[in-house]
Amino acid sequence: MSIRITALFMFVTFLAIYAWKDWFKSLCGVILLMAVIEHEDMPKTMFGIQGFNVWNVLMLVVLLAWFVSRRREGLIWDMPRHVSVLLLMYLGVIIIGVLRAVVDRSHIEDYPLKSLISEELINTIKWTLPGILLFDGCRTRHRVTTALVCILAVYFLISVQVVRFMPASAAFDLDSMSSLRGRLGRYIGYSACDISAMLAGASWGILAALPLVHRQKFRLMVLAAAGVIVLGQALTGGRAGYLAWGVTGLVLCLLKWRK
C-alpha cells in the first residue's frame, strides 16, 4: 500500500470518527474528496465488493451521524416546499426509470442487474445527499463560510491536477492540447470537457467571495487561486466550458460588478 493510500485511509478514518462529534465538518471533508474521487490512485472498491469504497462508506457514516444529531437537537426540516417537491419528482423519475430497465431488459441485456442498480439508482441518488445535508447544516454564518470554502476548494484542487498533468504551453498550442487532453480522463478521472464545464463558474465564484477575506495577504492568495483555476480551465480545451465561463462573467459584471 502506497503512502498516499495510507494517508487517504487515515484521513477517512479520522473523518468517520469525528462525524459523531461534528458531522458538518466531516461532511465538508466528504465534499473535498470529490476532487480526487475519480483519480487513478483512488481505490474504487474494497474487498472486491462493488460500491464499497472509502467515499461511500464515509458518506454513509456522515449521513447516520447527521440523522442522530438532528433527532438529538430537535431540528425541524425547513426546506422550501417547492424545492422538496422538485427533489421528490427527481427521485420519482429515477425510480421509475430503473424499474422500467429492470422489467424490460430487451435493449440492455448485456448490462448486469447489479451494475444497473448500483450505477443508475444508488449512485444517481447519492450525489444529491451532500447538497441536502449542506442545506440542513448551514444554520450559522460560520458554517456557511466553511461550506463555501470547501466547495471552492474542490474546484481549486481539480485545477491543480489539470495544471500538473498538462503543460502550460498547451494553452497556446491547440495541436498539443488535443493530443494531451486525453490524459486528464486517465489520471484525474474526469474528461476534459466535463472539467471545463465544472470550472466555468469556479473562478468567478472565488472572486465573488473575495469580500469575505479581510487580510491583504489572504486576498492575494484568493486571487492566485482564481488564477490557477482560470489556467486549469484554459488547459482543458473545452469550448462549451469557455463559453459558459464568459457568459457567467458577463452576467456577474452586469449584475454585481457594473463598474
Side-chain angles (χ1 to χ4, degrees):
M1 184 180 295
S2 66
I3 296 178
R4 285 185 292 183
I5 300 301
T6 303
L8 171 66
F9 279 113
M10 292 176 62
F11 178 68
V12 170
T13 302
F14 169 77
L15 290 179
I17 297 173
Y18 192 76
W20 299 102
K21 178 180 180 181
D22 189 340
W23 66 267
F24 187 83
K25 290 181 180 178
S26 292
L27 173 64
C28 291
V30 172
I31 293 173
L32 284 175
L33 284 177
M34 289 183 176
V36 296
I37 191 173
E38 297 295 338
H39 192 276
E40 61 171 348
D41 292 337
M42 190 75 168
K44 299 300 187 293
T45 60
M46 294 188 297
F47 308 111
I49 303 174
Q50 182 175 354
F52 188 59
N53 57 58
V54 291
W55 194 92
N56 288 349
V57 171
L58 180 58
M59 185 67 231
L60 179 60
V61 171
V62 171
L63 186 64
L64 293 174
W66 163 80
F67 182 74
V68 172
S69 177
R70 290 194 85 255
R71 296 192 62 181
R72 184 175 62 247
E73 298 174 11
L75 298 179
I76 300 174
W77 185 255
D78 53 358
M79 179 174 285
R81 182 181 297 273
H82 66 281
V83 178
S84 299
V85 171
L86 287 174
L87 287 173
L88 289 174
M89 291 173 62
Y90 168 81
L91 178 61
V93 170
I94 299 302
I95 292 177
I96 292 173
V98 171
L99 289 177
R100 286 193 60 190
V102 171
V103 173
D104 181 10
R105 301 177 55 78
S106 58
H107 299 287
I108 53 172
E109 57 272 4
D110 294 332
Y111 197 5
L113 182 60
K114 182 174 65 174
S115 299
L116 171 66
I117 296 175
S118 174
E119 297 295 334
E120 311 303 333
L121 180 62
I122 298 176
N123 284 352
T124 306
I125 294 175
K126 78 177 184 183
W127 297 119
T128 63
L129 295 178
I132 294 174
L133 267 59
L134 271 184
F135 168 82
D136 195 43
C138 289
R139 296 179 180 269
T140 64
R141 181 181 178 86
H142 175 71
R143 281 191 169 187
V144 171
T145 303
T146 302
L148 180 62
V149 170
C150 286
I151 292 171
L152 294 176
V154 170
Y155 298 114
F156 174 74
L157 292 174
I158 292 176
S159 302
V160 169
Q161 295 178 80
V162 174
V163 174
R164 176 190 175 190
F165 293 116
M166 292 286 288
S169 59
F172 307 98
D173 188 346
L174 296 180
D175 293 334
S176 176
M177 181 184 295
S178 298
S179 61
L180 294 175
R181 65 201 301 257
R183 64 169 59 183
L184 297 181
R186 187 165 62 254
Y187 295 132
I188 302 177
Y190 299 115
S191 70
C193 293
D194 287 343
I195 293 175
S196 184
M198 286 191 288
L199 299 181
S203 57
W204 299 116
I206 287 184
L207 294 177
L210 197 59
L212 298 175
V213 183
H214 302 294
R215 294 187 181 182
Q216 184 64 26
K217 62 178 181 179
F218 291 149
R219 292 175 68 90
L220 293 176
M221 292 173 61
V222 170
L223 291 173
V228 171
I229 293 177
V230 171
L231 175 60
Q233 183 172 18
L235 293 173
T236 61
R239 289 170 291 183
Y242 293 168
L243 178 62
W245 177 85
V247 172
T248 303
L250 177 62
V251 171
L252 282 173
C253 288
L254 291 174
L255 299 180
K256 184 175 177 64
W257 302 314
R258 295 182 182 179
K259 292 182 181 181

